[in-house]
């Protein structure tokens, strides 16, 4: 299979890192990446035999959420320019399948592939609603990108449900776990005698809830020797939020207990170094990669209710769930986990037994089977026999 994977950005967002993990496995198909310049997310792929073409025009920031008609028009113009570049790419002319790695990439692919020469797979990595995609982004994606999909793959059942009413009849659909940096699963948990470090992984972005985490941590552990560790960088113009978090930590009197680590390459080592892993998104999370990573490493996990994490966590068995945006409830959960008793050990043992959790290699196998099925269905529909 010759598959061109299209990304609207090459910065290190969750969707881009998931694609890198998928393609950095031993080859299951002949892959290439088309993206815009400006980041280094895909820089390591050529070593794995994956060509990377960074010539798509970049998209203006805020174009999906701004209320300015002029900015929306500028954003749409950039999408069309990216589509023209993609349409003329020799990689696309040789492709058996186009894989749009994000909503914006789906719009670009749909505009470039108007004559439907190549089957288009749209990857749903965000909830399909105005809150997640922005009002303009939602309208453009559902009216241009999603309606031209030959197949749709979602990172969770919640994500797929958010788009079901907008997916056309006969479109092949699947829910597949995204690669989350899981090379192995810990089957024998190692639980410390007490909580010394509480960690959180995620891009520094307001809806990811780092401010909720810091408030909860202060309520539970201010003035103790327990440390908070934040793994994640501020991207896409979000440096102001990072500064706000640092000021919040100082205001709460925990600045000396909080480590801002920026982007962390070795996620397994980070997770192995914490006693409790927190997911604190303030709205429904499409997948919650950090939750999967914590479960794979048999760590006690606290996550917010709704979305993908709720599909994996069974409260009291392999983790705890709290309402989104509720720092008090999160603080109570942290105190409960830090209290004497066997709760952390029981949750860690439950995490190790979580069914259906895939390693990255297994995720690649599942995606290869999905792409092959899409090509087979398309070939059958056109009267050709799939090879």
């Amino acid at each position: 299979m010759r598959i061109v994977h299209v990304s609207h950005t090459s910065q290190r967002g969750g969707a881009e890192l998931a694609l890198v993990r998928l393609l950095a496995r031993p080859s299951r198909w002949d892959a290439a990446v088309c993206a815009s310049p400006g980041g280094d997310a895909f820089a390591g792929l050529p070593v794995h035999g994956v060509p990377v073409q960074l010539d798509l025009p970049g998209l203006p920031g805020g174009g999906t959420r701004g209320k300015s008609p002029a900015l929306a028009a500028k954003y749409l113009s950039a999408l069309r320019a990216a589509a023209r570049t993609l349409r003329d790419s020799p990689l696309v002319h040789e492709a058996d399948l186009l894989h749009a790695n994000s909503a914006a990439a789906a719009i670009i692919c749909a505009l470039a592939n108007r004559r439907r020469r190549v089957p288009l797979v749209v990857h749903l990595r965000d909830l399909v609603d105005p809150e997640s995609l922005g009002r303009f982004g939602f309208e453009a994606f559902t009216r241009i990108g999603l309606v031209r999909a030959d197949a749709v793959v979602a990172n969770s059942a919640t994500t797929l449900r958010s788009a079901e009413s907008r997916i056309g009849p006969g479109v092949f659909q699947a829910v597949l776990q995204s690669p989350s940096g899981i090379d192995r699963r810990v089957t024998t948990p190692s639980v410390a005698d007490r909580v010394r470090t509480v960690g959180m992984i995620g891009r520094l972005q307001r809806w990811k809830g780092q401010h909720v985490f810091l408030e909860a941590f202060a309520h539970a552990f201010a003035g103790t020797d327990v440390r908070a560790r934040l793994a994640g960088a501020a991207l896409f113009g979000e440096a102001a939020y990072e500064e706000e978090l640092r000021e919040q930590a100082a205001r709460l009197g925990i600045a000396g207990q909080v480590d801002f680590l920026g982007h962390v390459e070795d996620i397994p080592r980070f997770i192995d170094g914490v006693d409790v892993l927190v997911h604190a998104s303030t709205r429904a999370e499409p997948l919650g990669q950090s939750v999967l990573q914590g479960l794979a490493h048999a760590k006690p996990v606290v996550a917010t209710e709704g979305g993908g994490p709720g599909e994996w966590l069974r409260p009291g068995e392999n983790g705890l769930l709290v309402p989104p945006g509720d720092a008090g409830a999160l603080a109570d959960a942290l105190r409960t986990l830090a209290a004497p008793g066997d709760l952390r050990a029981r949750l860690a043992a439950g995490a190790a037994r979580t069914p259906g959790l895939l390693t990255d290699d297994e995720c690649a196998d599942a995606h290869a089977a999905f792409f092959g099925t899409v090509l087979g269905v398309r070939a059958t529909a056109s009267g050709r026999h799939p090879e």
Side-chain angles (χ1 to χ4, degrees), residues 176-259:
L176 296 178
Q177 178 191 323
S178 294
S180 302
I182 301 172
D183 291 325
R184 60 183 175 86
R185 289 196 60 179
V186 174
T187 56
T188 305
S190 176
V191 180
D193 58 344
R194 69 181 184 89
V195 172
R196 295 178 175 82
T197 306
V198 181
M200 183 174 172
I201 306 168
R203 199 175 94 200
L204 298 186
Q205 189 178 22
R206 182 171 296 279
W207 79 271
K208 291 292 186 180
Q210 282 88 357
H211 61 289
V212 179
F213 169 64
L214 289 181
E215 183 178 347
F217 180 87
H219 287 323
F221 301 120
T224 71
D225 63 352
V226 180
R227 300 199 65 80
R229 307 193 78 199
L230 289 172
L235 301 177
F236 308 117
E238 291 157 346
Y241 181 57
E242 179 177 358
E243 183 59 31
E244 180 183 325
L245 292 173
R246 293 180 181 275
E247 292 173 357
Q248 179 189 16
R251 186 172 66 253
L252 292 170
I254 57 172
Q257 293 176 248
V258 180
D259 301 317

Side-chain angles (χ1 to χ4, degrees), residues 275-363:
D275 301 307
V276 175
L277 191 65
V278 172
H279 164 279
S281 294
T282 60
R283 54 180 167 86
E285 177 80 53
L287 175 63
Q289 290 190 34
S290 64
V291 172
L292 304 188
Q293 293 161 343
L295 292 173
H297 283 258
K299 289 293 179 178
V301 177
V302 184
T304 52
E305 299 167 338
E311 297 176 23
W312 290 97
L313 290 181
R314 301 183 302 280
E317 294 183 29
N318 66 344
L320 299 178
L321 290 172
V322 297
D326 191 334
L330 179 55
D332 288 342
L334 293 176
R335 291 191 196 97
T336 299
L337 286 168
D342 66 349
L343 178 59
R344 283 186 294 116
R346 286 192 288 110
L347 294 181
R353 296 191 301 268
T354 301
L357 190 59
L358 304 179
T359 65
D360 285 2
D361 272 328
E362 292 167 333
C363 285

